[in-house]
């Protein structure tokens, strides 16, 4: 009986992991297609469509159908002081991250994103959320070395796209740390759906400013906009602009389904499972994108990324050991009567889950794969 239950749970976990990997890769490839191939070169507008769709769907799931528990102690003051800063950083992440797809290949972007632990560690240390460690710094230096080699081997390097990518990674790092400082520290627990419910409308508002300045004038200059026949793309300065609504809204739907898959995955397994499965998804995405978009990958890039990948595995292992050590310490303190078991706050001896792990759960839905 126990074997059957364990098998069923393992099968379910594998199914959710597979769904997340498929949707995560699908969102990235679909975004690249819409922005660089389909003919809709407006990353801010595309992101705003995502935010509008996700806001509507999250509201329906939380408030109308009530299939997701949205019971969060969120006052107006807490929303302004704790959620809006995160929403602003999220808007920057999405804007700059999607803009990079106009200039860089998906495979190269995924290789560079392997250095995210380096950027997050630097942000966490600078904001005094994490203590500096020589051992961790050595591992992260090896990640940076591998990514540098992979970047050196890129045949279609573009300085503007690379700048957008670095800006997106920096904003993402500070967003992750801010989640820990502003939400996890206040014991505000949001899953991937409730995060969309609170964050997406604010993101839409923040994105409307650069959209009005940078993209709306070009859209307004397009002939016959917005009444052009969808099958007949308009053109501005010789560039095709395709307004096909089916493509844009199905792209937004896939982005929303990614967040649903994260909600299911973390609910049935853990954020750690998604973190471990991430590198597998990255290797698959690099291979698929090189085939779909005919983007060449050099042996130098493969070697550099493989080196960085090994260092990332070492980094994840060290973080796992640190988390387990904290759990053991909290469990010992709780059994010894030195801490209360109320409320599930690790600092009060409740759930053994670390604040950083909870911060990852808050940040997970906001990752653009």
């Amino acid at each position: 009986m126990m074997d059957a239950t364990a098998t069923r749970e393992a099968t379910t976990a594998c199914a959710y992991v597979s769904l997340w990997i498929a949707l995560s890769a699908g969102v990235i490839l679909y975004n690249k297609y819409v922005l660089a191939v389909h003919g809709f070169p407006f990353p801010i507008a595309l992101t705003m469509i995502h935010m509008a769709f996700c806001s509507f769907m999250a509201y329906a799931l939380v408030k109308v159908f009530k299939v997701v528990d949205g019971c969060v102690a969120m006052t107006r003051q807490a929303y302004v002081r704790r959620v809006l800063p995160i929403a602003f950083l999220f808007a920057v992440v999405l804007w700059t991250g999607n803009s990079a797809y106009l200039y860089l290949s998906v495979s190269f972007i995924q290789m560079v994103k392997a250095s995210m632990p380096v950027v997050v560690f630097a942000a966490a240390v600078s904001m005094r959320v994490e203590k500096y460690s020589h051992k961790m710094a050595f591992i992260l230096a090896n990640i940076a070395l591998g990514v540098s080699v992979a970047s050196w081997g890129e045949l279609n390097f573009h300085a503007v796209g690379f700048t957008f990518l670095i800006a997106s990674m920096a904003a993402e790092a500070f967003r992750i740390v801010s989640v820990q400082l502003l939400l996890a520290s206040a014991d505000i627990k949001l899953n991937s759906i409730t995060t969309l419910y609170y964050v997406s409308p604010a993101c839409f508002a923040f994105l409307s400013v650069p959209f009005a300045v940078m993209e709306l004038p070009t859209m307004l200059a397009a002939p016959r906009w917005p009444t052009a026949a969808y099958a007949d793309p308009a053109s501005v300065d010789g560039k095709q602009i395709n307004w096909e609504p089916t493509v844009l809204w199905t792209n937004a739907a896939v982005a929303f389904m990614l967040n649903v898959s994260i909600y299911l995955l973390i609910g049935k397994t853990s954020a750690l499972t998604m973190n471990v499965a991430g590198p597998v998804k990255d290797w698959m995405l690099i291979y698929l994108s090189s085939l779909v978009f005919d983007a060449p990958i050099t042996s130098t890039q493969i070697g550099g990324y493989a080196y960085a990948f090994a260092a990332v595995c070492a980094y994840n292992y060290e973080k796992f050991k640190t988390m387990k050590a904290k759990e053991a310490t909290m469990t010992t303190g709780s059994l010894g009567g030195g801490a209360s078991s109320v409320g599930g706050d690790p600092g009060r001896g409740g759930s053994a889950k670390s604040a950083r792990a909870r911060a990852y759960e808050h940040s997970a839905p906001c990752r653009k794969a």
Side-chain angles (χ1 to χ4, degrees):
M1 184 66 178
M2 289 295 293
D3 290 341
T5 301
T7 301
R8 185 167 57 252
E9 290 178 352
T11 302
T12 301
C14 288
Y16 285 133
V17 168
S18 299
L19 178 63
W20 171 71
I21 289 177
L23 288 171
S24 182
V27 166
I28 292 177
L29 294 175
Y30 205 170
N31 284 353
K32 174 67 174 180
Y33 168 77
V34 171
L35 293 169
V37 179
H38 174 69
F40 190 78
F42 303 111
I44 304 176
L46 183 65
T47 305
M48 290 179 70
I49 292 172
H50 288 185
M51 293 298 98
F53 186 88
C54 289
S55 297
F56 174 79
M57 294 301 297
Y59 181 85
L61 292 177
V62 173
K63 290 296 186 181
V64 179
F65 300 106
K66 298 183 178 179
V67 296
V68 176
D69 183 12
C71 184
V72 178
M74 184 71 69
T75 63
R76 177 177 297 181
Q77 183 181 22
Y79 184 80
V80 171
R81 294 181 58 185
R82 299 184 181 276
V83 175
L84 286 186
I86 294 171
F88 173 76
L89 289 171
F90 188 25
V92 175
V93 170
L94 298 180
W95 165 22
T96 54
N98 280 333
S99 296
Y101 288 111
L102 289 172
Y103 306 94
L104 303 173
S105 67
V106 173
S107 56
F108 177 62
I109 290 174
Q110 293 306 120
M111 290 180 185
V112 175
K113 282 187 176 180
S115 62
M116 267 306 299
V118 180
V119 187
V120 173
F121 181 75
V125 171
S126 67
M127 297 178 71
R128 298 183 179 182
V129 172
E130 190 165 326
K131 292 182 179 180
Y132 175 82
S133 164
H134 288 298
K135 183 176 183 180
M136 196 64 72
F138 175 76
I139 294 174
L140 294 174
N142 280 277
I143 295 176
L145 175 61
V147 171
S148 297
V149 173
S151 300
W152 182 263
E154 173 62 18
L155 297 176
N156 299 312
F157 182 85
H158 197 289
V160 174
F162 189 73
T163 301
F164 273 123
L165 178 57
I166 296 302
S168 176
M169 292 172 61
E172 172 72 352
F174 282 103
R175 185 190 66 81
I176 291 174
V177 177
S178 297
V179 164
Q180 184 173 345
L181 286 173
L182 299 177
L183 296 186
S185 62
D187 208 25
I188 298 176
K189 300 176 181 179
L190 302 177
N191 57 48
S192 60
I193 305 301
T194 52
T195 295
L196 290 179
Y197 175 77
Y198 286 108
V199 171
S200 293
C203 278
F204 184 92
F206 284 127
L207 288 167
S208 64
V209 177
F211 168 73
V213 175
M214 301 175 66
E215 295 184 352
L216 184 59
T218 304
M219 288 183 166
L220 293 174
R224 303 179 305 279
W225 187 88
T227 59
Y230 297 126
D232 180 24
S235 115
V236 174
D237 297 331
K239 295 182 180 179
Q240 294 292 315
I241 301 177
N242 197 334
W243 309 102
E244 174 60 57
T246 303
V247 171
L248 299 179
W249 288 110
T250 54
N251 178 254
V254 174
F256 176 75
M257 289 305 299
L258 171 61
N259 288 277
V260 173
S261 72
I262 294 172
Y263 173 75
L264 296 173
L265 176 60
I266 294 180
K268 294 297 182 180
T269 58
S270 68
L272 180 62
T273 301
M274 189 169 69
N275 200 22
V276 171
V280 177
K281 180 263 298 181
D282 291 338
W283 275 108
M284 293 177 58
L285 188 54
I286 289 171
Y287 175 72
L288 286 174
S289 64
S290 67
L291 294 179
V292 173
F293 298 108
D294 194 24
I297 301 176
T298 65
S299 57
T300 301
Q301 285 183 289
I302 293 296
Y305 183 70
Y307 187 86
F309 174 78
V312 169
C313 291
Y315 169 82
N316 285 335
Y317 178 67
E318 287 299 320
K319 298 302 294 184
F320 177 75
K321 287 199 304 183
T322 301
M323 186 180 69
K324 286 298 182 183
K326 288 182 179 179
E327 289 179 357
T329 301
M330 293 171 187
T331 302
T332 302
S334 181
L335 291 175
S340 167
S341 60
V342 177
D345 185 343
R348 296 195 298 269
S351 170
K353 185 183 294 182
S354 69
R356 187 170 181 82
R358 286 190 295 159
Y360 182 84
E361 289 188 7
H362 290 311
S363 66
C366 300
R367 291 169 47 156
K368 287 301 285 185

